[in-house]
Amino acid sequence: MTDQHGRLVGVVRRTALPHVLVRDDGKIREEIETRIITREFHLPKGTVDVTVHDGVVDLTGRMDRAGIPGLLEEVREIEDVTEIRDHLRAA
């Protein structure tokens, strides 16, 4: 949060925001699995395992080394993702 002069005066945690303002973890996971992993990267189901808790995304699995940075960038751009834990290994 900032004051009327634009100075930082506090930080609001994701968990303190009303649920109407923050997207549900399940919806974030669904977007990652459906839009990014399946449609954009054309990876078979189960190649990358996605878990989301309080906006923190854990990615595990194996995929082509060249695709990992792009996948991470796409996930990073999703609204309400607060952190990514990359446990992906090159296939």
Side-chain angles (χ1 to χ4, degrees):
M1 296 184 301
T2 58
D3 64 11
Q4 67 271 18
H5 303 290
R7 295 178 296 212
L8 181 65
V9 294
V11 177
V12 177
R13 296 183 140 232
R14 181 180 191 266
T15 55
L17 295 173
H19 287 291
V20 296
L21 298 176
V22 178
R23 190 159 42 145
D24 162 279
D25 289 337
K27 296 287 185 188
I28 294 171
R29 185 178 80 338
E30 182 180 323
E31 180 177 351
I32 294 168
E33 290 176 339
T34 309
R35 181 179 64 82
I36 297 174
I37 294 173
T38 303
R39 284 192 235 143
E40 293 182 18
F41 283 81
H42 307 286
L43 296 173
K45 186 173 178 85
T47 302
V48 175
D49 183 48
V50 180
T51 58
V52 183
H53 182 70
D54 290 336
V56 177
V57 176
D58 280 283
L59 299 171
T60 56
R62 296 177 64 96
M63 64 178 286
D64 180 53
R65 178 183 310 277
I68 293 174
L71 177 68
L72 296 174
E73 185 59 33
E74 287 291 324
V75 172
R76 190 172 289 112
E77 292 179 4
I78 293 177
E79 188 173 342
D80 295 324
V81 168
T82 59
E83 181 182 340
I84 299 172
R85 295 180 182 154
D86 172 18
H87 305 285
L88 296 169
R89 296 183 306 171

